[in-house]
Amino acid sequence: MPKTIWVLGFGSLFMDMSSELVHSLLPVFMATVLGASMVTIGIIEGIAEATAAVVKVFSGALSDYFRKRKFLIVLGYGLGALAKPIFPLATTIGWVFGARFVDRIGKGIRGAPRDALIADVTPPPIRGAAYGLRQALDTVGAILGPLLALALMVWFANDIKAVLWVAVIPAFVAVALLFLAVREPEAPTLAPEPAAGAKRSMLAGAGHLPLRYWLVVALGAIFTLARFSEAFLILRATDVGVALAYVPAIMVVMNLVYAVFAYAAGAASDRLPARTLLVIGLGALIVADLVLALAATPWVAFAGAAFWGLHMALTQGLLAKLVADTAPAALRGSAFGIFNLVSGGALLLASLIAGWLWSVFGPAATFMAGAAFALVAAMGLLLYRPKPRLPVSG
């Protein structure tokens, strides 16, 4: 496995430790301290993720146009780090929205160039494993963040703002690590033969992406519509009686399962048909939604979160691999940017619907709707038989 994959993975680990420490408490902070409604939370989460998706299009295209990935990766992580102190300083919901906006702009800037760099430096036969490894390390950070939040909530006697200040430290560690240790290949290795139009305009290359790539984009949108912001998992935990100090545990459970299975699922995607893993992933999401819809105790909610994490492990690395496999080398940054733009729009819509269903019909309706959509997506994936199958390996 190339050294760059490990560096990107540990950079993601530290940044996700910071981000998940914040996110495991932020929905409760917005709802209880700042008095935000479920619809408002859904809007903030949806817009934040959609913003990241829009920015990814331009950052991915820029990394293709200038043949440089590292600068944009470090810039994106830097913005994420600079946003972290705003959360504990927030006194109104507007401050939180602003911090989430800056944070997601940073995520948008770094996401597509980072995913493209993984494909640039990794041989095709182990590409799925490379995406799985980075995702697994990222998810280890997503476990450590909520665990740290749990310990600090006890240490600081439920003072959420004091806990949020701690998140600043690992964020800046991530920026320093990536700035000092990331190495990218020379431009000729990245793109021996730039696609026609790729250098003429940063976004012109989108017209040269093949049909099989656009099928992957459609798949990603369908999968995203079938789920919504993980903020609703945290709110469900409080709804079934999890004490405020222990609310981050719901994210620990989800991300622990995610981390355990992410690398294995990524490696499996190098050998098994994509359709098989995607259907299994949708099945895990259906189970997660049903369990969370019917949950009446904390333990049942934790079980639902575990299945949610299994779904993420089975699908997220695989979808990234499919994007890398179906996009020309000269347009990988643009390809990841477009993929994330479409998925971000789907997440915005899904989160808005989830917040509205929660407010009008209750939390059970939110998760039942997610299960219904995931079931339709799984049935469509099983019934659809395109003549050219989606490639599974490079």
Side-chain angles (χ1 to χ4, degrees):
M1 191 66 64
K3 174 188 172 183
T4 298
I5 306 301
W6 289 98
V7 175
L8 291 172
F10 278 102
S12 292
L13 186 155
F14 283 107
M15 183 57 75
D16 231 44
M17 183 192 305
S18 171
S19 295
E20 292 302 324
L21 192 161
V22 172
H23 298 161
S24 63
L25 295 171
L26 195 60
V28 177
F29 180 64
M30 288 190 287
T32 61
V33 178
L34 301 180
S37 68
M38 295 302 107
V39 172
T40 300
I41 293 173
I43 291 172
I44 290 174
E45 291 298 312
I47 290 178
E49 295 301 332
T51 298
V54 171
V55 175
K56 283 178 182 178
V57 175
F58 297 99
S59 66
L62 277 169
S63 75
D64 286 339
Y65 186 77
F66 292 110
R67 318 311 309 147
K68 297 293 182 183
R69 318 273 195 209
K70 178 177 176 177
F71 172 77
L72 291 169
I73 293 170
V74 174
L75 175 62
Y77 276 95
L79 284 175
L82 291 174
K84 293 301 185 291
I86 302 176
F87 291 108
L89 292 172
T91 55
T92 66
I93 201 67
W95 280 61
V96 173
F97 178 80
R100 284 286 281 153
F101 189 76
V102 173
D103 181 60
R104 294 300 89 177
I105 287 177
K107 180 178 181 180
I109 290 174
R110 67 183 181 253
R114 181 197 61 209
D115 290 341
L117 181 59
I118 292 173
D120 293 338
V121 301
T122 308
I126 61 169
R127 194 171 282 159
Y131 282 108
L133 176 61
R134 192 212 67 84
Q135 193 64 66
L137 289 171
D138 179 275
T139 311
V140 169
I143 296 168
L144 296 176
L147 281 175
L148 189 57
L150 280 169
L152 292 173
M153 283 291 282
V154 175
W155 182 265
F156 290 116
N158 292 344
D159 186 345
I160 294 179
K161 288 194 174 186
V163 176
L164 293 177
W165 275 112
V166 179
V168 175
I169 300 171
F172 280 93
V173 171
V175 176
L177 175 64
L178 293 163
F179 177 76
L180 295 172
V182 164
R183 297 289 182 269
E184 55 186 332
E186 297 297 325
T189 305
L190 281 174
E193 295 292 338
K199 290 295 246 178
R200 184 171 62 252
S201 168
M202 287 187 295
L203 297 179
H208 300 276
L209 292 166
L211 175 62
R212 56 184 185 166
Y213 163 77
W214 293 107
L215 291 175
V216 175
V217 171
L219 268 178
I222 292 170
F223 269 69
T224 306
L225 278 172
R227 60 183 176 86
F228 31 80
S229 171
E230 291 155 11
F232 292 97
L233 291 180
I234 298 168
L235 294 169
R236 186 59 166 149
T238 61
D239 185 65
V240 297
V242 177
L244 180 63
Y246 300 104
V247 164
I250 199 82
M251 298 303 293
V252 173
V253 170
M254 189 208 81
N255 286 305
L256 180 61
V257 175
Y258 193 171
V260 167
F261 288 99
Y263 179 75
S269 72
D270 290 323
R271 302 186 304 273
L272 299 178
R275 184 192 303 270
T276 300
L277 291 174
L278 292 173
V279 170
I280 295 173
L282 279 170
L285 180 58
I286 292 169
V287 174
D289 279 327
L290 290 175
V291 171
L292 288 163
L294 300 173
T297 65
W299 293 112
V300 178
F302 287 139
F307 277 103
W308 193 288
L310 179 60
H311 152 74
M312 296 290 286
L314 288 168
T315 60
Q316 298 309 292
L318 173 56
L319 288 169
K321 170 184 159 51
L322 289 174
V323 172
D325 286 348
T326 55
L331 296 173
R332 280 184 184 136
S334 301
F336 275 105
I338 294 169
F339 175 83
N340 288 300
L341 171 64
V342 175
S343 297
L347 183 60
L348 171 59
L349 179 60
S351 296
L352 291 175
I353 293 172
W356 177 77
L357 286 171
W358 189 300
S359 296
V360 177
F361 300 106
T366 297
F367 292 101
M368 289 299 290
F373 197 93
L375 178 60
V376 171
M379 292 175 62
L381 198 57
L382 287 170
L383 294 174
Y384 180 53
R385 291 287 188 270
K387 289 181 181 179
R389 292 197 330 175
L390 284 176
V392 181
S393 61

